[in-house]
Amino acid sequence: MIPGQFDYVRPADMAETLRILKDREGEAKLLSGGYSLLPLIKLRLAQPALLVDLRDVAGLDGIAETDDYLRIGARATHRQIHEMPMVRDRYPLLHDVTAVIGDPQVRNWGTIGGSVAHADPASDWPAVLLATSSTIICRSQSRERAIAAREFFLDTFTTAIEPTEVLTEIRIPRRPRGAGGAYQKLERKVGDFATVGVAAVVRLGANGRIESAGIGLTGVAETPFAATDAEAILAGNAPAEELFRKAAAAAGAQSRPAGDVRGPVEYKRAMAAELTVRALRTAVERALANA
Amino acid sequence: MTTETTPRTSPEIGGMGHSVKRKEDPRFIRGAGEYIDDLVLPGMLWLDIVRSPYAHATIKGIDASEALKIPGVLAVITGADLEKAGLHWMPTLAGDKQMVLPTTTVMYQSQEVAAVVATSRYIAADGVAAVLVDYEPLPVIVDPHKALEPGAMVLRPDRAADKQTNRIWHWESGDAAKTDAALAAADVRVSEDIYIPRIHVASIETCGCIADWDAVRGQMTLHMTSQAPHAIRTVLALVSGLPEQNIRVKTHDMGGGFGGKVPVYPGYVLAVVASLTVGKPVKWIEDRSENLQADSFARDYHIHAELGATKAGKITSLKVKTIADHGYTDAAADPSKFPAGLFNVITGSYDFDNAFVEVDGVYTNKPPGGVAYRCSFRVTEAVHAIERMVDILAHDIGKDPAQLRMENFIQPEQFPYKTPTGWEYDSGNYGVALQKAMDMIGYDDLRKEQAAKRAKGELMGIGISSFTEIVGAGPSHDFDIIGLKMFDSCEIRVHPTGKVLARIGVQTTGQGHETTFAQIIAEELGFPVGDIKIEYGDTDTAPYGLGTYASRSTPVAGAATAMAARKIRDKARKLAAHLLEASEEDLEWEPGKFSVKGSPDRFKTIQEIAFAAYTNHPAGMEAGLEAVDYYDPPNLTFPFGSYICVVDIDKGTGQVHIRRFVAVDDCGNIINPMIVDGQIHGGLTMGLAPSLYEAITYDELGNNLAGTFMDYLVPTAVETPAWETGKTITPSPHHPLGAKGVGESATVGAPPAIANAVVDALWHLGVRNVDIPMTPQKIWAILHEKGIS
């Protein structure tokens, strides 16, 4: 667990960061927390030539609500997000997830941008961003662009970010009236990546039926994904245990887990379904409370 | 038997029974502890190890040329280099032999293959990455049952007991014929296969050393993480030929041992060889993966047990056949006569006449070991088996498991009790401990709640473990390690100003020896505990001892400390008689002073007596006030306890939630109640760990699937329930202080309580046994099969 040699730079601002990424395109990895990246480097599973530490780059850590979305700067730590009263009161789904990411040490150091850009197939944030149909903002020297979460996670540890880009912020749609969300995580012990994680959001119409639903799953495929079959089953129907079960079965069926130390395929599929039911129950409760 | 401790000494003296705060804690809390990896000696070099990615392979070649090109890499040591000096193999404590570095074949994944010596830890690791080893993979034997099949590849033709198989040894205890007859005559017979998985001690501090060879003085100083420094010194003298007076083994603060720092690992030997070669200090420190993947494991017992009983549930007989997976060499640290440790204590807390136990040690392509992980040599395995079997019997005949235990316990008046496998239990009062645990937890109400929940389809279970431990090895007629008898020692020096320096033969790895051993001296001599300094772990100064493991510190070295203190008290009496101009017979002792009988105002304090020992000793008496004692215990001590665990099982996910856990322990007279409580809390958590979380597993190629803390699941405070502890006190009749060991009781006793609770929750579904660790995926699979989940 001794890393190989690498260069380390700590640029003062975004312009310098983007210039370094351009100059050493493909060689550099951004460091924003490091609780996922550094273990890989220590195990020599990742051997980047250059680590670019973002800690001195200003303007990446704000959390604020606009008319359209909740904006979370990429450098916001899980703990900062968890402790925002506005997040706790208005976004219980986010508050669920920031309570169960890693352990307190990870939550103190780890950042939302670092986690999303790292794209571990079992990390928690991606499920939330998929369920909420959030947007991820990336910047390079030449442009800034917005990428839909549902087009962002391409494969294991692979995203739509270009090597010359920095992930700068996350935009989560504002929670409207009648909407609620919840996150359910099964882990072997505290600090573990999810065996299965399920984020669910539902929006209830005036008639009490589900207008739309979003479900993001993590841990049960090569990358986190949206359980679109389940979403389609829920849309337009009145919330009920039987409906949740049917949707959950679809979510389980859509997952593509690998059998490993966290469990065999059959178990993971079953857990994807079980946690989907539990997440939906809570999401609907919260939606009703927010009517 | 009592339940409370009443100290004989004042709080100022702080003898036995006082919860004296730990004297060592200020330096730990303030970050001022000194661990091996904190030490940097002038000119020191670092050693790192190339390890095998294969569980079994032929080494066709090792190319170190690229590594040697790295600036700062000074040397690469291979098995061929060691072979020239005859150092490529070393003996294990169990009388087997182990490769220091292989010359032809690697036998397990992560085995040491070569060592790199460099000017920094980082360069050494880069050197390791640059050494190219050409392996040709060989077939792998992971399952010990397959290792014993006829025609199986023989892994160690040089050592196998009959040269034809992978059987290392066969060991048995008890009377086979009598037991078979009793089983045949039994009304009820229950049998079960129980696997106690391979686990790892996972101490916070990994293993390491600095070997410091001074060629000018001919002196080898070995700073190391060892639970038994004196034994290491002697072994090093015998193996290296260095004169023993020129070898100094020194331990420093240690972050846990738990049995894992008893064996000699190749890394230590490589550091010694490297230092002897280059004439500079060489440090070797394992990283976490190396520690988990290559250091000695614990447990790994495949047990088949059969219990016979009458219709009414009176146990008559127990027969046990076990396969012990030792990996590629037997590197267990058991006493010589006990290749399966004290596993034949498996008759437990129960009174019956017929038992037969047999164990076969087996070679596989896994790391060596078999250490006593917070366990007095295979007692954890034994206790798990008997406590599971008793529960199965109770369920099978429809009797409450608590009631069945009560009806089978050895009764208080039967002690000393001779077991059918030959042990003599010193003292016990099992029914009282179980009743206390039942009262604390509200047993009858819980059973009613369970019945109501079951009617609603909810899964709740209650599990009991009423264990008997066997600790304090041991009497010299039976106990030795590589011939060294398992006595232990203490040397006490009282300084003229009435302050005390005591040195003990046992090492601490965090147990609080600096406090408890001072309390023993305070108890015996009346010096305030703050005036007593305890030293250990330096073989140049400490008296010879066999070290700390198997809960032997208090039973053996604690007894030596009391005996040494009593020798000092005997001399102090003579000095007091001289000072008081009275006869010795007319003096009365109370902690801290001698007074003349009938004249309580004529007295001399122990401090005054100490001063006189150097300033005013009588003619004909030697000056000074010192004593040493080497204590050979007449028997082991047998702590016991009853634990009760309540679990709720999540039917959807298979997760086991421990709702409550009550632990009633009896370790005889208590030296420091706070430290005992801490030992029990820590031990319970280490019992929880393999019950629900930890296991080292291998795939069919022998790849370790739990080689980092990401997958070796050490529970944290979050997973740990709020332990509820209670105690009874049944003194040991043969120990000078009436004390027994306590360090491992909870680790031994907790797993079967948890396992029994889980099986109790599932019994009505037709589940008779669940092997630990009882993970959600395992429980879910059972529920799924039963159509519940």
Side-chain angles (χ1 to χ4, degrees):
Chain A
M1 293 189 181
I2 301 286
Q5 295 198 17
F6 55 85
D7 294 334
Y8 170 87
V9 289
R10 214 159 122 177
D13 55 29
M14 182 56 74
E16 190 186 345
T17 306
L18 295 174
R19 191 172 61 246
I20 293 167
L21 290 183
K22 180 73 184 161
D23 290 349
R24 298 190 61 175
E25 189 174 339
E27 288 181 58
K29 277 294 263 184
L30 293 170
L31 183 65
S32 175
Y35 267 76
S36 292
L37 180 59
L38 293 185
L40 292 180
I41 293 176
K42 285 186 169 188
L43 291 165
R44 298 191 179 220
L45 294 172
Q47 301 214 37
L50 173 66
L51 276 189
V52 183
D53 191 338
L54 290 177
R55 75 172 69 188
D56 293 340
V57 177
L60 290 176
D61 56 356
I63 305 171
E65 223 176 2
T66 71
D67 289 346
D68 300 324
Y69 50 81
L70 176 70
R71 173 200 173 280
I72 304 179
R75 290 268 308 140
T77 65
H78 311 304
R79 179 170 176 176
Q80 282 168 348
I81 300 166
H82 190 70
E83 292 189 343
M84 283 283 286
M86 181 259 293
V87 170
R88 186 190 61 217
D89 297 341
R90 302 243 320 113
Y91 296 91
L93 164 61
L94 273 55
H95 202 251
D96 283 353
V97 81
T98 50
V100 297
I101 294 171
D103 54 32
Q105 225 176 327
V106 171
R107 296 197 286 272
N108 286 342
W109 272 93
T111 63
I112 186 169
S115 172
V116 170
H118 188 66
D120 189 290
S123 62
D124 301 290
W125 275 121
V128 174
L129 303 194
L130 289 162
T132 52
S133 293
S134 293
T135 305
I136 293 147
I137 310 299
C138 296
R139 194 188 301 168
S140 66
Q141 275 189 318
S142 56
R143 62 171 178 172
E144 179 176 277
R145 63 180 180 132
I147 309 170
R150 294 191 175 209
E151 290 161 11
F152 185 81
F153 301 102
L154 305 180
D155 205 341
T156 305
F157 299 120
T158 307
T159 69
I161 306 180
E162 300 288 338
T164 54
E165 285 180 324
V166 175
L167 191 165
T168 56
E169 70 180 60
I170 306 287
R171 291 176 185 169
I172 298 170
R174 268 186 83 112
R175 180 186 178 195
R177 288 241 162 259
Y183 186 67
Q184 285 279 329
K185 178 178 185 177
L186 182 67
E187 55 187 353
R188 295 174 299 172
K189 62 168 261 196
V190 157
D192 194 15
F193 280 99
T195 300
V196 182
V198 179
V201 292
V202 294
R203 184 170 181 178
L204 301 178
N207 57 4
R209 287 176 178 270
I210 297 171
E211 258 176 29
S212 64
I215 296 175
L217 271 67
T218 192
V220 281
E222 65 283 354
T223 190
F225 69 98
T228 48
D229 295 350
E231 292 169 350
I233 289 169
L234 292 164
N237 286 303
E241 187 72 12
E242 202 178 324
L243 179 71
F244 299 162
R245 288 270 164 213
K246 207 173 142 199
Q254 205 177 342
S255 49
R256 299 175 299 276
D260 58 19
V261 289
R262 289 187 175 80
V265 169
E266 185 189 28
Y267 170 70
K268 288 188 177 180
R269 272 191 206 283
M271 291 307 99
E274 179 67 28
L275 266 58
T276 300
V277 171
R278 294 180 186 196
L280 283 170
R281 279 185 203 138
T282 308
V284 167
E285 272 171 34
R286 288 172 175 169
L288 289 168
N290 184 40
Chain B
M1 199 219 62
T2 57
T3 56
E4 280 314 314
T5 315
T6 313
R8 288 199 312 136
T9 57
S10 65
E12 291 71 36
I13 291 175
M16 284 178 68
H18 290 289
S19 287
V20 175
K21 288 203 172 146
R22 300 201 336 160
K23 297 170 71 160
E24 44 271 83
D25 280 349
R27 73 172 186 273
F28 294 147
I29 291 166
R30 297 162 81 177
E34 185 189 61
Y35 300 87
I36 293 284
D37 207 18
D38 296 324
L39 288 183
V40 178
L41 303 183
M44 190 174 80
L45 304 174
W46 275 260
L47 181 141
D48 197 6
I49 294 175
V50 179
R51 293 179 182 275
S52 171
Y54 296 104
H56 197 195
T58 303
I59 297 175
K60 298 179 71 184
I62 298 175
D63 178 0
S65 55
E66 288 302 314
L68 289 166
K69 283 181 198 160
I70 297 172
V73 171
L74 303 180
V76 176
I77 303 169
T78 66
D81 300 326
L82 295 182
E83 190 175 19
K84 289 172 203 153
L87 285 172
H88 54 311
W89 287 89
M90 63 178 182
T92 71
L93 296 176
D96 203 331
K97 58 179 194 167
Q98 176 173 2
M99 292 179 224
V100 177
L101 290 176
T103 51
T104 58
T105 313
V106 288
M107 298 295 286
Y108 68 95
Q109 189 188 49
S110 293
Q111 186 181 339
E112 299 80 1
V113 173
V116 175
V117 183
T119 51
S120 87
R121 178 75 184 86
Y122 285 79
I123 294 172
D126 287 346
V128 163
V131 172
L132 300 175
V133 184
D134 186 9
Y135 298 98
E136 186 169 291
L138 294 167
V140 173
I141 300 182
V142 174
D143 180 348
H145 297 95
K146 289 199 173 135
L148 287 178
E149 282 172 4
M153 167 179 57
V154 178
L155 295 175
R156 292 283 308 279
D158 60 315
R159 292 290 303 189
D162 50 11
K163 309 290 181 200
Q164 303 295 315
T165 74
N166 292 306
R167 183 178 286 103
I168 313 171
W169 41 257
H170 174 86
W171 181 78
E172 55 187 55
S173 172
D175 189 324
K178 252 181 83 192
T179 302
D180 283 338
L183 271 175
D187 303 330
V188 185
R189 290 168 71 160
V190 293
S191 69
E192 197 58 56
D193 291 312
I194 297 167
Y195 175 52
I196 316 290
R198 180 175 277 237
I199 54 174
H200 197 283
V201 304
S203 52
I204 286 180
E205 183 199 28
T206 61
C207 295
C209 69
I210 302 170
D212 184 8
W213 170 243
D214 182 334
V216 176
R217 291 173 181 80
Q219 166 83 29
M220 172 62 78
T221 305
L222 185 58
H223 307 267
M224 74 184 291
T225 52
S226 174
Q227 294 174 241
H230 280 101
I232 297 288
R233 185 187 71 193
T234 300
V235 170
L236 185 54
L238 292 171
V239 172
S240 70
L242 291 171
E244 196 167 355
Q245 82 277 14
N246 286 359
I247 301 171
R248 180 184 184 191
V249 179
K250 195 167 172 355
T251 63
H252 297 258
D253 286 325
M254 280 200 274
F258 308 112
K261 288 172 181 164
V262 175
V264 175
Y265 296 117
Y268 297 132
V269 180
L270 289 166
V272 168
V273 170
S275 184
L276 282 168
T277 307
V278 300
K280 288 190 171 184
V282 176
K283 179 190 276 190
W284 165 68
I285 299 283
E286 292 172 326
D287 68 24
R288 179 60 60 190
S289 300
E290 294 179 290
N291 180 260
L292 283 173
Q293 293 175 22
D295 278 9
S296 291
F297 69 91
R299 324 290 191 242
D300 216 348
Y301 261 33
H302 300 257
I303 301 169
H304 177 79
E306 192 170 4
L307 196 63
T310 66
K311 266 202 253 349
K314 181 75 188 74
I315 300 167
T316 59
S317 43
L318 174 69
K319 190 175 179 185
V320 179
K321 190 168 171 56
T322 291
I323 291 176
D325 184 344
H326 275 269
Y328 96 94
T329 182
D330 184 0
D334 294 324
S336 303
K337 282 189 193 169
F338 302 91
L342 314 183
F343 185 61
N344 60 345
V345 76
I346 195 165
T347 55
S349 307
Y350 309 103
D351 177 24
F352 58 93
D353 294 333
N354 309 293
F356 179 66
V357 184
E358 55 185 330
V359 184
D360 286 294
V362 178
Y363 289 127
T364 59
N365 287 117
K366 293 183 200 163
V371 295
Y373 169 9
R374 209 167 180 167
C375 161
S376 190
F377 312 119
R378 304 298 190 181
V379 179
T380 313
E381 294 90 326
V383 165
H384 198 88
I386 184 67
E387 288 304 306
R388 285 288 305 115
M389 293 308 292
V390 166
D391 242 53
I392 294 170
L393 172 65
H395 280 96
D396 259 353
I397 65 170
K399 184 169 268 194
D400 183 279
Q403 183 62 29
L404 184 111
R405 283 179 170 80
M406 288 290 193
E407 290 171 7
N408 281 285
F409 278 150
I410 300 160
Q411 295 303 304
E413 62 276 10
Q414 289 177 273
F415 291 91
Y417 177 85
K418 193 99 175 159
T419 77
T421 55
W423 297 110
E424 187 180 291
Y425 293 178
D426 58 348
S427 62
N429 199 336
Y430 302 148
V432 174
L434 176 54
Q435 190 59 53
K436 182 164 184 175
M438 292 167 72
D439 294 345
M440 280 174 69
I441 208 161
Y443 186 78
D444 295 340
D445 288 343
L446 284 168
R447 284 290 177 205
K448 284 177 201 145
E449 183 194 341
Q450 182 188 28
K453 286 215 157 128
R454 189 164 293 173
K456 288 191 288 180
E458 292 175 34
L459 301 176
M460 168 189 168
I462 304 158
I464 300 172
S465 163
S466 292
F467 64 92
T468 292
E469 254 272 58
I470 172 170
V471 307
S476 58
H477 53 82
D478 276 334
F479 287 88
D480 71 87
I481 287 185
I482 53 165
L484 297 167
K485 301 293 189 184
M486 295 181 75
F487 58 84
D488 228 291
S489 62
C490 175
E491 177 199 279
I492 302 173
R493 295 181 182 178
V494 182
H495 300 325
T497 54
K499 312 297 177 186
V500 181
L501 171 66
R503 289 169 168 148
I504 51 179
V506 289
Q507 170 64 44
T508 173
T509 53
Q511 294 91 336
H513 285 18
E514 289 166 47
T515 309
T516 49
F517 280 79
Q519 285 185 267
I520 293 171
I521 295 169
E523 174 78 11
E524 294 292 331
L525 293 175
F527 290 108
V529 69
D531 289 351
I532 304 162
K533 180 180 178 184
I534 303 293
E535 287 189 354
Y536 48 80
D538 183 342
T539 58
D540 268 10
T541 55
Y544 207 103
L546 267 286
T548 296
Y549 38 84
S551 289
R552 64 187 298 280
S553 285
T554 292
V556 192
T561 304
M563 300 310 277
R566 287 172 195 181
K567 290 177 187 173
I568 285 181
R569 201 163 72 204
D570 288 345
K571 182 166 182 184
R573 179 184 288 272
K574 291 185 170 58
L575 283 159
H578 164 68
L579 296 173
L580 290 164
E581 296 177 342
S583 77
E584 287 179 48
E585 298 74 45
D586 288 341
L587 296 183
E588 270 183 331
W589 169 256
E590 64 182 281
K593 63 183 176 186
F594 279 108
S595 57
V596 180
K597 278 180 199 162
S599 310
D601 50 345
R602 286 183 63 205
F603 66 86
K604 287 290 170 188
T605 66
I606 189 71
Q607 287 81 5
E608 290 171 315
I609 295 166
F611 195 66
Y614 297 86
T615 59
N616 181 22
H617 58 290
M621 180 190 282
E622 278 183 26
L625 196 54
E626 300 187 2
V628 61
D629 190 84
Y630 285 77
Y631 187 79
D632 182 359
N635 190 6
L636 295 117
T637 68
F638 296 80
F640 60 93
S642 270
Y643 296 170
I644 305 182
C645 174
V646 184
V647 300
D648 299 293
I649 296 176
D650 184 328
K651 285 195 293 185
T653 61
Q655 286 169 302
V656 174
H657 171 68
I658 297 180
R659 191 202 308 179
R660 288 186 69 193
F661 196 107
V662 164
V664 173
D665 271 278
D666 192 320
C667 59
N669 289 336
I670 290 172
I671 299 165
N672 184 320
M674 178 194 74
I675 287 180
V676 167
D677 228 34
Q679 286 275 15
I680 291 167
H681 276 242
L684 289 170
T685 307
M686 283 186 141
L688 164 72
S691 302
L692 297 184
Y693 302 100
E694 295 175 5
I696 298 178
T697 53
Y698 294 85
D699 66 14
E700 69 279 8
L701 294 175
N703 293 308
N704 186 323
L705 301 180
T708 71
F709 274 166
M710 186 61 115
D711 291 314
Y712 192 73
L713 304 175
V714 178
T716 69
V718 178
E719 285 80 21
T720 305
W723 309 115
E724 303 168 59
T725 58
K727 61 176 181 282
T728 61
I729 296 173
T730 310
S732 168
H734 65 76
H735 187 278
L737 302 168
K740 301 180 177 183
V742 74
E744 62 198 46
S745 283
T747 313
V748 167
I754 301 171
N756 285 342
V758 170
V759 175
D760 186 55
L762 304 174
W763 183 271
H764 63 291
L765 304 174
V767 176
R768 297 177 64 81
N769 183 50
V770 182
D771 282 334
I772 58 172
M774 300 171 292
T775 58
Q777 53 174 292
K778 194 182 280 181
I779 301 293
W780 180 84
I782 292 168
L783 295 173
H784 187 60
E785 186 208 318
K786 303 290 181 190
I788 303 292
S789 200

